Amino acid sequence: MTQSVVVQVGQCGNQIGCCFWDLALREHAAVNQKGIYDEAISSFFRNVDTRVVGDGGNISKGKICSLKARAVLIDMEEGVVNEILQGPLRDVFDSKQLITDISGSGNNWAVGHKVFGRLYQEQILEKLRKSAEHCDCLQCFFIIHSMGGGTGSGLGTFLLKVLEDEFPEVYRFVTSVYPSGEDDVITSPYNSILAMKELNEHADCVLPIDNQSLFDIISKIDLMVNSGKLGTTIKPKSLVTSSAGALKKQHQKPFDAMNNIVANLLLNLTSSARFEGSLNMDLNEISMNLVPFPQLHYLVSSLTPLYTLADVNIPTRRLDQMFSDAFSKDHQLIRADPKHSLYLACALMVRGNVQVSDLRRNIERLKPSLQFISWNQEGWKTSLCSVPPVGHSHSLLALANNTCVKPTFMELRERFMRLYKKKAHLHHYLQIEGMEESCFMEAVSSLSTLIEEYNQLDATRSMPVEDLPRLSVAV
């Protein structure tokens, strides 16, 4: 079995990461009731004998003593990491794998990237090397961060370059949370554009998540619960209820519930690495099959069911309906409609009691309504993991390399240009050593090149699909 390391950067990255580890532990507890340290758990957790000082306490098999997450936690403010260390998961994180500061990055990409990057480079490298040494076969780094703030966008993308230089053979999967148009960080367009250039150059796969989409999804769940449709009820102590027990008001952003959706995306993405299945998909196969061109590595994700039954009693969707949902715009984690855009490739990661024949039947049913690029008409990658999420009979994660991601990038560029034309807040960046105005122009040029590549692909949509002659084999 291979192992992966999760690197959580900034407030958003650490909150989502904490939610992921909580859900992962619940999943393994449901499956591994004898408490044996097996290959499934070892993919993301170490087994440590806490009575042994130093690195000699690692236990490779037998009973679980104390599980430690294969994680590195980084934040330039102490608040969120301190909360985690005082919370129920405090024993899951190795205190030697944390990096915090007290001043924060002030919502400034340049501070996170140029100042804290230089300051903490050696410490970050040391923690990453230590995490790698604890792995028998390190396959992947998962980076979780946001694009709008200073630490997540700046230090998060600085980290990508460090990983590429130090571990060039290890895949870099990035979950990036993009700010909504009504974001309360006024400099978020600058931070996002500067971070995008680094993602273009140093990531293997990026899963863009749009804050507004997450908020819309939670609002729909609230609406469904309020209207009493489908016999929906909220369970006690649910993530979509406030501490007072009443539903959160629409104008409040229920970040816990939003983080829970992203954590579920990561849970399904890593399920093949953590559990057995009749058609498991290796993480490196995602990049190999879904990324035909190096820069076009942005994968649009959709998830169904969207919410864990641990929180909301929503009746289970029929299997075929679940496949239909995965391609509807209401289930996308960015504001996009992949059905009306061009697919380069698509992966379906199914969990639970589902047969290969169910997969094939649904792909054949949906194919006529989806437009794939002419040279990859059979661009499907599928996986079946036998272990469903806790409380479900089955679930589906769809990852699409689709040109529908383009409007998100165009909107980001427009918001950047509105600020940049006025030179608003620019001096906060230019006063940082190593930061020049050319950095902004290079970043927006990089994004424009990416958008143009999607435009060129969209231009091929009207081209006829050639029925290529196949090699005939004599029997």
Side-chain angles (χ1 to χ4, degrees), residues 108 426-433 435:
N108 187 328
L426 210 57
H427 62 288
H428 297 301
Y429 292 79
L430 299 180
Q431 67 190 16
I432 304 299
E433 187 185 345
M435 197 69 192

Side-chain angles (χ1 to χ4, degrees), residues 143-163:
I143 297 96
I144 312 172
H145 73 132
S146 72
M147 300 287 278
T151 300
S153 70
L155 196 52
T157 54
F158 176 85
L159 176 80
L160 268 180
K161 179 71 167 69
V162 170
L163 288 172

Side-chain angles (χ1 to χ4, degrees), residues 20 30 72 88 113 230 253 257 329 369 435 464:
F20 165 75
V72 178
H113 198 89
L230 306 173
K253 293 206 174 182
K329 61 182 182 181
S369 64
M435 197 69 192

Side-chain angles (χ1 to χ4, degrees), residues 230-450:
L230 306 173
T232 306
T233 57
I234 289 220
K235 291 189 175 182
K237 297 182 181 174
S238 159
L239 284 178
V240 293
T241 54
S242 67
S243 55
L247 276 169
K248 289 189 174 180
K249 298 285 183 281
Q250 291 291 319
H251 64 267
Q252 290 181 313
K253 293 206 174 182
F255 288 111
D256 284 347
M258 290 159 74
N259 292 341
N260 190 54
I261 290 173
V262 185
N264 270 290
L265 156 69
L266 292 169
L267 215 59
N268 285 355
L269 180 67
T270 59
S271 61
S272 276
R274 295 183 294 117
F275 299 113
E276 292 297 314
S278 58
L279 191 66
N280 264 1
M281 189 193 301
D282 215 21
L283 289 166
N284 62 358
E285 291 182 72
I286 295 172
S287 177
M288 184 65 69
N289 288 274
L290 297 190
V291 183
F293 307 109
Q295 275 209 316
L296 302 183
H297 53 236
Y298 295 87
L299 306 180
V300 179
S301 50
S302 60
L303 201 56
T304 176
L306 274 166
Y307 220 77
T308 56
L309 288 184
D311 299 301
V312 185
N313 281 326
I314 295 177
T316 304
R317 303 289 265 174
R318 291 193 331 272
L319 188 63
D320 287 10
Q321 184 60 48
M322 186 177 78
F323 280 90
S324 299
D325 287 346
F327 292 92
S328 79
K329 61 182 182 181
D330 290 342
H331 283 70
Q332 309 303 315
L333 300 193
I334 66 166
R335 281 174 297 164
D337 191 358
K339 266 191 167 181
H340 293 98
S341 299
L342 187 66
Y343 280 87
L344 304 186
C346 183
L348 299 177
M349 306 182 77
V350 184
R351 300 181 63 184
N353 186 21
V354 181
Q355 305 304 313
V356 175
S357 58
D358 296 322
L359 263 174
R360 287 180 182 148
R361 185 184 75 252
N362 277 287
I363 287 173
E364 290 303 318
R365 178 175 66 85
L366 291 161
K367 259 168 80 172
S369 64
L370 307 173
Q371 188 165 7
F372 274 73
I373 198 156
S374 59
W375 42 261
N376 197 24
Q377 287 291 299
E378 302 297 324
W380 297 88
K381 182 68 183 169
T382 54
S383 87
L384 283 177
C385 171
S386 56
V387 179
V390 177
H392 292 287
S393 58
H394 43 249
S395 72
L396 168 62
L397 167 65
L399 297 176
N401 196 334
N402 189 298
T403 58
C404 68
V405 76
K406 183 179 69 174
T408 297
F409 298 153
M410 290 172 71
E411 184 190 329
L412 194 58
R413 184 174 62 179
E414 284 167 22
R415 286 171 51 214
F416 168 85
M417 292 311 296
R418 280 201 295 271
L419 269 185
Y420 189 71
K421 279 177 183 171
K422 303 287 185 188
K423 306 291 184 191
H425 301 281
L426 210 57
H427 62 288
H428 297 301
Y429 292 79
L430 299 180
Q431 67 190 16
I432 304 299
E433 187 185 345
M435 197 69 192
E436 297 172 1
E437 207 161 328
S438 61
C439 297
F440 289 90
M441 297 321 297
E442 286 168 13
V444 79
S445 171
S446 171
L447 183 58
S448 294
T449 301
L450 182 66

